[in-house]
Amino acid sequence: MASKAEKIVAGLGGIDNIEEVEGCITRLRTEVKDPSLIDEAALKAAGAHGVVKMGTAIQVVIGTDADPIAADIEDMM
């Protein structure tokens, strides 16, 4: 079974689509190459409470485990 971080990576369009990721209290702040690859339904299924898109900047609201998930995603990159 995929980890929460792996499910979020998939919802963000895969590891190759992620240019940068940072945990910020309750959100993952990410920069992606192609925002059209973002699958909001998959992110919400992975536990996201919301997704905020601003061009290539994507914020995934996931709660207090944002920092450990960001670290897991950075390890995959």
Side-chain angles (χ1 to χ4, degrees):
M1 183 173 176
S3 71
K4 190 170 186 175
E6 290 169 328
K7 292 176 184 176
I8 289 172
V9 165
L12 290 170
I15 204 73
D16 292 336
N17 195 42
I18 301 170
E19 292 189 330
E20 187 178 319
V21 64
E22 175 185 359
C24 183
I25 305 174
T26 61
R27 296 171 182 234
L28 283 179
R29 296 178 186 266
T30 66
E31 282 288 331
V32 297
K33 294 176 186 168
D34 183 354
S36 71
L37 297 177
I38 303 304
D39 183 343
E40 287 190 50
L43 289 168
K44 289 182 179 177
H49 303 293
V51 179
V52 179
K53 294 182 179 181
M54 296 163 288
T56 60
I58 311 296
Q59 293 183 14
V60 183
V61 182
I62 55 173
T64 56
D65 54 351
D67 282 325
I69 289 174
D72 290 347
I73 293 171
E74 285 176 348
D75 289 346
M76 290 184 230
M77 295 172 76

